Amino acid sequence: MLFDTATLPASDCYQLLTHAVSPRPIAWICTRNADHVINLAPFSFFTVASIAPPVLLFSQVNPRDGQLKDTLRNLRAHGECVVNVVSPVQAAAMNQSCAPYPPHISELAEAGLQAAANPMLSVPGVAGAPVRFLCRLRDMQVINPQPMGGTIVLLDIVGIEVEDALLADGKLQADLLQLVGKLGGDHYCDGSPHFSLTRPTLGR
């Protein structure tokens, strides 16, 4: 069946895209507001945009009211955030941080999490997160400000904190790093079991 996106309702397009483009890594992002309240929210439209320089990319799909989420407002005002990855043991806390708390309530506290301070930013990360990317805002581009439209955010990585147990000879080990990924609807995966495929080479 072919779906014509020119006539497809946004809700149907959302269902198709979020189910077909999966699993998706989750950027669990800490920001702070003007009152120094730490806000925390997960975003599953998330990837690496560049290595040199190191840049992350995530996007917000606008809610029905068309408003920016706390994360984007805080980033626009202060320009700093910590992008945490999500392990299975913190999956329930990540899900709790999705709730529509008002800006003066910290999702970090409501989810029973502790802050992990760092020496480079005024924003902490999530204690216990296996990897934390310390970031400053590079750019924010609005694709469409209307409901179901999107805003792309580019983040410069200024530091990467990795749990020591996940490193061998200073290298992050993929087989030790279990992360939660987002599927369609309310479904998630934890990246297990792993399998490996060696990248092929062409003989001459």
Side-chain angles (χ1 to χ4, degrees):
M1 182 173 183
L2 173 64
F3 296 90
D4 184 348
T5 59
T7 58
L8 192 66
S11 59
D12 292 345
C13 191
Y14 179 87
Q15 196 276 340
L16 286 168
L17 288 172
T18 56
H19 282 67
V21 184
S22 68
R24 300 184 303 279
I26 299 171
W28 201 16
I29 302 179
C30 288
T31 56
R32 69 171 181 87
N33 65 21
D35 297 321
H36 297 276
V37 175
I38 301 302
N39 293 117
L40 176 65
F43 294 82
S44 65
F45 296 169
F46 166 53
T47 191
V48 175
S50 172
I51 300 297
V55 177
L56 296 179
L57 180 153
F58 79 95
S59 63
Q60 173 196 271
V61 173
N62 299 334
R64 290 187 179 89
D65 62 9
Q67 298 298 308
L68 292 181
K69 296 182 180 179
D70 292 341
T71 301
L72 270 64
R73 282 198 301 269
N74 294 344
L75 265 173
R76 187 171 280 171
H78 300 288
E80 293 184 346
C81 70
V82 175
V83 178
N84 310 272
V85 298
V86 183
S87 67
V89 297
Q90 292 185 322
M94 179 275 299
N95 188 53
Q96 183 64 37
S97 70
C98 291
Y101 294 106
H104 67 278
I105 299 294
S106 173
E107 292 87 355
L108 192 75
E110 292 297 313
L113 299 162
Q114 299 296 316
N118 65 79
M120 302 182 78
L121 303 176
S122 63
V123 179
V126 175
V131 180
R132 296 182 289 270
F133 299 98
L134 315 182
C135 299
R136 293 194 176 98
L137 178 64
R138 167 180 278 256
D139 194 15
M140 194 178 293
Q141 299 181 16
V142 178
I143 297 172
N144 179 1
Q146 300 302 313
M148 301 300 285
T151 300
I152 292 173
V153 181
L154 295 173
L155 301 170
D156 287 316
I157 304 170
V158 298
I160 305 173
E161 297 183 310
V162 181
E163 293 294 309
D164 290 344
L166 301 174
L167 298 171
D169 298 323
K171 307 267 186 206
L172 183 58
Q173 302 301 297
D175 58 334
L176 299 179
L177 184 63
Q178 290 224 323
L179 299 179
V180 171
K182 187 71 174 69
L183 305 173
D186 291 335
H187 300 289
Y188 293 84
C189 63
D190 65 4
S192 177
H194 294 117
F195 65 92
S196 299
L197 296 172
T198 302
R199 182 172 299 199
T201 58
L202 299 179
R204 292 187 181 275

